[in-house]
Amino acid sequence: MIVMKFGGTSVEDAAAIERSCSIVAERVSRRPFVVVSALGGATNGLLEAGALAARGEVRKATAIANALERRHAELLPSAAEHFVRLRELLKALSAIGEFSFRTQDLIASYGEALSSLIFTDRLKRMGFEAIHLDARQCMITDDNFGKASPLMDRTTARLEEMASPHRCAGRVVVMGGYIGSTTSGTTTTLGRGGSDYSAAIVGATLMTADPRIVSGASKVKEISFDEASELAYFGAKVLHPLTVLPAVEKNIPVYILNSKKPKGSGTRITREARPCRNVIKSIAYKRGITVVTVSSSRMLMAHGFLKALFEVFDRHRTSVDMVATSEVSVSLTLDNVSSLNAIVEDLRPLGDVEVASTMTLICLVGSNLKYTPGVARRAFSSISDINILMVSHGASNINFSFIVDEKDTDAAIQKLHADFFHEIDPEVFEPPG
Ligand code: ASP
Ligand code: MG
């Protein structure tokens, strides 16, 4: 059995869906279980429509819904029916005037609910026996709306009950990723980018070996689970961090393939990294990072300060990615700034708060880092003309991260790349082209 996951760009339009269905078709003998994301951009559109409606801007919200309807109905005419309900929901939202996590999940669920129906329909029209599984009946989660966690026992039982008979009968099973429901049937989502997680859960519950997670592209032929998890944060578009976990636990090999280059060998994620002549496997970066610095002389020798500080971020459900502390100040990086103003207000009692936005987090990842001295010196000397605002090294011995101003991103990446990859180990890397 294989699990094949197709991300938003792999199902963004008729041509992409066609291509992705052909990739499935070539592997029917391996009894594929297909997990799909919403059509590229659909989740963003749905959430934007919901937010607008809740602000009373029903006309704009409806316009987005109508555009989404056209995209979906072109691929599957019966999709139009779902939009009747969606527009009603948007109206209701404008009356209520708020957009809770619970309602966000309900609105966002239209994306995967529809893309999975579209994919199933396309496979059937290609002549395959395909069956649609409603993820809300198998992916059972807690009620942490916005980022729910699957209840593994129940999910395993449901998936087995609902998918196994079809798989035994040789049907291709198609399910939407990202969405699920609570035990009482309320729609939930696993958090943005969660379709990979859905796929990994299906893999971990139904498989004995060899899931393939089909999504993005890469020129690295092989990376370890650890390296992949470090990179996942940066390449969240390609691989959801949590994906790695169910697979690691079961020692199941995972492949990342590019649906636009179906013949490519992709990247294999292995349990252990094999020795590589390059010190680092990848340079990852993330733009749009915000650095928050809290300085307080009260912090000197005081205990409980960091706890109070992190509690603020916890309260606003904002995750902190990198932390550096000195005797009297703490700097933290965020990429989700939706609650930034409220966070800053809550931090003020702790000390002076400074916010620097439009920063870039650069990260060198590779399991050789831990054996190789002088990586920091080498990295910093290749970008000696660029200002480095914050550094983190050691917390994980396979990653070395630092912050630069966003305007320096390209120059820094190019210089680091030229330095670390002027020769590549052919065992681990596929030459570009
Ligand atoms: N469609 C969802 C999102 O855009 C989940 C996913 O694609 O993995 O976040
Ligand atoms: Mg994704």
Side-chain angles (χ1 to χ4, degrees), residues 5-8 37 192-196 215 235-240:
K5 180 260 169 178
F6 294 92
S37 287
R192 294 305 305 269
S195 293
D196 293 336
S215 51
K237 285 214 170 111
V238 173
L239 182 75
H240 188 285

Side-chain angles (χ1 to χ4, degrees), residues 12-30:
E12 65 189 348
D13 54 22
I17 293 171
E18 180 77 35
R19 210 162 37 226
S20 297
C21 285
S22 312
I23 295 174
V24 175
E26 278 164 27
R27 291 165 176 84
V28 268
S29 63
R30 301 185 64 188

Side-chain angles (χ1 to χ4, degrees), residues 31 81 305:
R31 299 192 297 142
E81 293 155 29
F305 179 85

